[in-house]
């Protein structure tokens, strides 16, 4: 981050500087430093930025500045001056939350609009004057058709996460929306990836755009440590439960491929005593909002989500992301792990990989040009899981804990990988830990333990259900860093 650039030096109006200060931001992120001046100039913008880079403030702040500097002569109900289109309800709500956050010292009015909820409260809200509308395309078109919304006054259009909108099949809706807008307007297009389709869309919408980019195409943040553990599909649920419990992870976002899988996994984790919730498209908006709020304020330790539901979730400093299954599309891996390591903080992404997913793993590594580090999980004993004993003794651990024998050829996966390994070495007593995986990968080990109790099962409070003391009496602090070991 270039610390010589400040929000004040970007020329933003005083009420916005105050809001940014209230939010605790000291300096603009790179996307903000590049995008804000361009948007303030009034030109079109094509921005390559993933969620987590600070892109929302990158367009919200200059738009608010524009509205402050150019107040409407008469604000009309249901006739926004700025339209932000996003792919999902969650992202819509979060972008509008940012508008409110950064616009809190102004009189600017915003509204959020998405489908899956009763349309009538939205119709009522549209009877009030409105500056910024943040919407998903489908519901927006419903309102336009019912003439409860007038898009002829739009001066600035933002397409946020445009790549995702195309993935979700919104192209026709977007084109229909475009036909309802005045020809003369400023256009901003944000996308994490740049396919030919996105370039085509951009060409049709943007005029002589400035281009800003903060991450190379399909790159992952260097601040995220990426690791994987080989396991059988049938062991994944127990393994994940073990890792979360033993590491004391208090805020972990877990990705599954299917809605059904998300539900089943959340149920299993809850059965194991973890606080878990699933979030996906079949859930009502109220249920999704509740799960997200619980996750944000620490009541829910594990949020299990499908790709689409998780898209754009704005969760500050999420320390852990788990891929319960690898995504079919390698780009989705980049999106998923973009949930962590945000805005300069470090994070960790762990993938549970079975033999059938090795091809997907390789495709991800090719795309990101990074190797995902294979690791073993200390204390993981699939055999004991079958008997319900998840706390094997030290001898069992040494004999059974290492899964790297399952690793594919060429990934350093032989059972006796020779010297230099940093796993639980024979003869090493509990409590004598090797250097932490997080330290090697640059993660602050404090992060995983800030609120360990939030993720604990009753078993982890130091007593078994029968009241007997735990067999494993290691201190719980620092567990997160010691549990996962490098496999090579
Ligand atoms: P976004 O990429 O817009 O989803 O933003 C990611 C996260 O970064 C959000 O949680 C913001 O609150 C945070 N953020 C945005 N701008 C800054 C900044 N200049 N400094 C620190 N954090 C920021």
């Amino acid at each position: 981050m270039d610390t010589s650039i400040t929000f004040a030096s970007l020329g933003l109006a005083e009420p916005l500087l105050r809001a940014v200060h209230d939010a605790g931001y000291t300096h603009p992120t790179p996307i903000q430093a590049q995008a804000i001046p361009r948007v303030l100039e009034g030109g079109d913008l094509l921005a390559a930025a993933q969620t987590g880079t600070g892109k929302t403030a990158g367009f919200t702040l200059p738009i608010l500045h524009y509205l402050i500097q150019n107040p409407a002569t008469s604000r009309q109900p249901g006739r926004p001056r700025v339209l932000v289109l996003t792919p999902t309800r969650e992202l819509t709500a979060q972008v509008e939350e940012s508008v409110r956050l950064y616009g809190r010292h102004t009189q600017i009015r915003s509204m959020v609009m998405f489908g899956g909820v009763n349309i009538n409260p939205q119709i009522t809200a549209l009877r009030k004057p409105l500056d910024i509308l943040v919407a998903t395309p489908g519901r927006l078109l419903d309102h336009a058709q019912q003439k409860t919304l007038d898009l002829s006054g739009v001066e600035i259009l933002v397409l946020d996460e445009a790549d995702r909108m195309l993935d979700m099949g919104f192209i026709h809706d977007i084109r229909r929306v475009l036909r309802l807008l005045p020809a003369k307007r400023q256009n901003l297009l944000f996308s994490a990836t740049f396919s030919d389709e996105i370039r085509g869309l951009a060409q049709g919408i943007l005029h002589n755009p400035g281009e800003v980019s903060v991450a190379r195409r399909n790159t992952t943040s260097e601040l995220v440590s990426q690791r994987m553990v080989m396991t059988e599909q049938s062991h994944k649920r127990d393994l994940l439960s073990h890792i979360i419990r033993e590491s004391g992870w208090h805020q972990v976002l877990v990705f599954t491929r299917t809605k059904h899988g998300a539900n089943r996994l959340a149920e299993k984790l809850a059965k194991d005593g973890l606080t878990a919730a699933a979030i996906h498209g079949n859930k009502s908006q109220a249920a999704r909002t509740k799960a997200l709020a619980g996750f944000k304020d620490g009541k829910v330790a594990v949020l299990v989500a499908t790709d689409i539901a998780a898209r754009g979730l704005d969760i500050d400093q999420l320390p852990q992301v788990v891929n319960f299954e690898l995504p079919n599309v390698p780009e989705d891996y980049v999106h998923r792990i973009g949930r962590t390591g945000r805005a300069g903080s470090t994070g960790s992404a762990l993938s549970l990989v079975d033999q059938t997913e090795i091809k997907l793993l390789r495709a991800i590594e090719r795309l990101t040009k990074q190797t995902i580090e294979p690791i073993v999980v200390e204390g993981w004993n699939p055999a004991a899981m079958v008997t319900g004993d998840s706390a094997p003794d030290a001898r069992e651990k040494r004999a059974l804990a290492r899964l790297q024998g399952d690793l594919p050829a060429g990934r350093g996966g032989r059972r006796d990988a020779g010297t230099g390994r940093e796993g639980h070495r024979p003869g090493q007593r509990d409590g004598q830990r090797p250097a932490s995986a997080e330290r090697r990968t640059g993660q602050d080990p404090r992060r995983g333990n800030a609120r360990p109790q939030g993720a604990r099962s009753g078993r982890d409070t130091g007593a078994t259900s029968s009241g007997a003391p735990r067999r494993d009496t290691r201190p719980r602090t620092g567990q997160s860093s010691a549990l996962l070991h490098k496999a090579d």
Side-chain angles (χ1 to χ4, degrees), residues 19 45 80 89 106 130 148 153 162 164 191 194 200 207 233 240 244 271 277 283 294 318 327 330 337 353 391 394 486:
L45 179 74
R89 322 180 213 193
T106 73
L130 171 66
T148 45
R164 202 59 176 186
S191 186
F194 274 88
H207 304 289
Q233 181 67 32
L240 180 61
I244 296 174
K271 228 160 88 188
K283 297 248 166 184
L318 180 60
I337 76 163
V353 181
K486 206 168 168 179

Side-chain angles (χ1 to χ4, degrees), residues 220-233:
T220 48
S221 165
E222 282 158 21
L223 295 166
V224 179
S225 81
Q226 297 177 57
R227 295 174 291 179
M228 60 86 120
V229 59
M230 287 300 303
T231 183
E232 286 173 35
Q233 181 67 32

